[in-house]
Amino acid sequence: MDIASPLALLGGISATQFMRTYWHKKPLLVRQAVPGFKPLLGRSELLQLAGQDGVESRLVRQLGGGQWSLTHGPLPRRRLPRLNQPGWTVLVQGVDLHVQSAHELLQQFRFVPDARLDDLMISFATDQGGVGPHFDNYDVFLLQAHGKRRWRIGRQKNLSLQPDVPLKILTHFVPEEEYVLEPGDMLYLPPKWAHDGIAEGECMTYSIGFRSPKQDELAREIFLRLSDPSDELAEEVVYQDPKQPAVTHPAEMPAALLTFAREALQKALAEPLALERALGEAMSDPKPNVWFEPAQDFGLIENVRLNQRTRMLYDAHHIFINGESYLASGRDAELMRQLADTRRLASHEVQQLSDDALELLSSWVDAGWAHSTPE
Ligand code: SIN
Ligand code: CO
């Protein structure tokens, strides 16, 4: 992607300028970010997706008197209110995992590292529908796909939430700006900006969402992976306490056990590339509801394209794919990085891989993580 050229998507500024001036800093409204944008799937296709097992969906209803109701999917049509009833919204998460054109739309946002990109969420609302004034912990691009939505936004310090409601609703929303978005218009909001979007007539909004790992959750994930020994032949170190005296307080933890545990953590972290490996595996791990269909025919590997659900990342030493890591160097590393960045490799490039790398690539094709096509 050319990060220095002006983009209509960003209102005529380059990705470089956008990241420097707006990303994480201030909102940006772009009229006709995607000129003539048409919804990638119609209302009934979206609602059908919301009814499927393995697709994350929610129904939000305004009940009046400041009351809200939240229902988690799957949401078959019979669980949805009537289309002529105002004030309800269905939100479908991870549409890019199921719909190729949604995955392609996300590619336009790859001026942000893939490790930060989350998913495409699509909301469908009837007139006056919305999820209430709230804030999110992550950046979001709100692309209007169908109908109109009135957004009110504000940067407020007081982010206290209403108690006893099933949704995150701000107690005191103080809007500072207001915009009505029409199809093709897009609003970028940094994390923690208060916002409230209300449908004016039937409306569909696409949220290009980012993920911001929580430090404590990431630490937990990394520790779990650090404890997964990469060298199965490594000698097992077992706690020993030949000097343990007899105790009168049997429930008290022995101090030596704490020292043993601290050493274990220090050793795991000190292992070369252990943190890099664990982080890459964690960041490339697909969401729990993601599955792959193994290939039907096992032929020659030709042109290769990553499956839309595959997460592939790399660092200076590793290639990470769907939660697994491989050390790579030389031409193999170059080609695998190219596959991760462009999500495809041409057959003449595939032919340059070493036998080991080719075998690995074939196993990804067999697992349905990538597909081989003659063209
Ligand atoms: C929506 O599309 O209704 C909600 C999106 C958001 O506020 O983050
Ligand atoms: Co939001």
Side-chain angles (χ1 to χ4, degrees):
M1 172 179 271
D2 181 358
I3 55 170
S5 292
L7 296 173
L9 183 75
L10 299 173
I13 61 168
S14 67
T16 304
Q17 283 170 306
F18 171 80
M19 294 305 279
R20 202 182 291 142
T21 314
Y22 295 95
W23 178 254
H24 250 54
K25 298 167 202 74
K26 55 183 180 180
L28 176 64
L29 171 70
V30 182
R31 295 286 178 199
Q32 289 309 289
V34 187
F37 186 60
K38 296 263 174 320
L40 303 175
L41 53 175
R43 179 179 73 194
S44 54
E45 286 168 290
L46 181 69
L47 297 182
Q48 199 192 2
L49 206 53
Q52 277 179 26
D53 283 334
V55 177
E56 216 185 311
S57 61
R58 285 168 292 159
L59 165 66
V60 174
R61 273 178 296 169
Q62 282 160 251
L63 305 176
Q67 296 298 303
W68 296 85
S69 107
L70 169 69
T71 314
H72 287 281
L75 298 163
R77 279 302 268 270
R78 65 189 147 75
R79 291 182 71 191
L80 299 179
R82 293 158 65 103
L83 286 167
N84 59 7
Q85 189 176 318
W88 61 272
T89 299
V90 165
L91 305 114
V92 185
Q93 213 74 49
V95 178
D96 52 300
L97 299 172
H98 310 285
V99 178
Q100 182 65 28
S101 56
H103 170 75
E104 276 155 24
L105 177 69
L106 280 192
Q107 305 309 298
Q108 296 192 45
F109 296 85
R110 289 183 80 207
F111 51 84
V112 182
D114 286 349
R116 294 279 281 110
L117 197 55
D118 190 10
D119 71 343
L120 181 74
M121 178 187 83
I122 303 186
S123 69
F124 164 80
T126 56
D127 187 36
Q128 299 305 304
V131 297
H134 67 282
F135 67 92
D136 298 307
N137 288 319
Y138 45 80
D139 311 78
V140 67
F141 290 93
L142 299 154
L143 173 63
Q144 191 59 20
H146 172 72
K148 289 187 200 172
R149 168 160 266 156
R150 182 176 299 274
W151 285 103
R152 291 181 303 149
I153 66 170
R155 190 200 345 219
Q156 58 190 72
K157 291 248 163 11
N158 179 358
L159 294 177
S160 60
L161 298 173
Q162 286 182 23
D164 309 323
V165 276
L167 307 177
K168 267 174 57 174
I169 307 278
L170 286 163
T171 334
H172 304 287
F173 178 44
V174 189
E176 294 167 325
E177 280 161 78
E178 185 169 314
Y179 314 105
V180 177
L181 267 67
E182 304 211 13
D185 295 346
M186 187 171 77
L187 176 63
Y188 162 75
L189 289 180
K192 299 259 159 62
W193 271 71
H195 54 286
D196 187 19
I198 296 177
E200 302 205 334
E202 213 178 87
C203 143
M204 280 198 257
T205 303
Y206 288 20
S207 295
I208 294 97
F210 292 83
R211 33 180 208 161
S212 302
K214 294 198 177 91
Q215 206 166 29
D216 57 342
E217 282 174 15
L218 196 57
R220 218 171 302 141
E221 277 246 26
I222 286 174
F223 281 134
L224 270 177
R225 289 171 192 275
L226 282 176
S227 65
D228 180 14
S230 51
D231 180 4
E232 281 161 20
L233 299 174
E235 202 193 323
E236 270 190 321
V237 182
V238 180
Y239 179 62
Q240 291 174 335
D241 54 357
K243 292 192 182 143
Q244 174 67 56
V247 295
T248 47
H249 299 285
E252 189 181 2
M253 288 276 287
L257 192 55
L258 179 64
T259 309
F260 181 75
R262 182 170 290 123
E263 279 171 9
L265 278 181
Q266 282 163 349
K267 223 157 79 183
L269 274 171
E271 198 165 306
L273 302 181
L275 182 58
E276 288 87 337
R277 175 180 59 78
L279 177 64
E281 288 179 4
M283 297 310 295
S284 66
D285 212 5
K287 288 186 186 174
N289 60 346
V290 169
W291 77 97
F292 294 91
E293 272 159 35
Q296 296 298 329
D297 36 83
F298 304 90
L300 201 68
I301 304 295
E302 297 174 272
N303 300 283
V304 169
R305 171 175 64 74
L306 291 181
N307 180 279
Q308 70 203 54
R309 296 175 184 169
T310 285
R311 282 188 171 274
M312 190 174 184
L313 305 167
Y314 60 84
D315 69 11
H317 303 276
H318 303 90
I319 300 297
F320 306 106
I321 180 163
N322 295 333
E324 294 190 359
S325 60
Y326 304 92
L327 285 167
S329 59
R331 185 73 182 131
D332 281 346
E334 260 172 51
L335 291 163
M336 289 297 191
R337 288 176 191 171
Q338 188 182 326
L339 174 62
D341 277 332
T342 63
R343 300 187 67 83
R344 53 184 68 235
L345 273 188
S347 64
H348 71 271
E349 290 156 340
V350 171
Q351 282 160 21
Q352 295 170 36
L353 287 167
S354 68
D355 288 349
D356 283 351
L358 189 56
E359 201 176 309
L360 198 56
L361 188 60
S362 310
S363 71
W364 299 344
V365 171
D366 294 349
W369 293 4
H371 307 290
S372 169
T373 51
E375 271 139 62

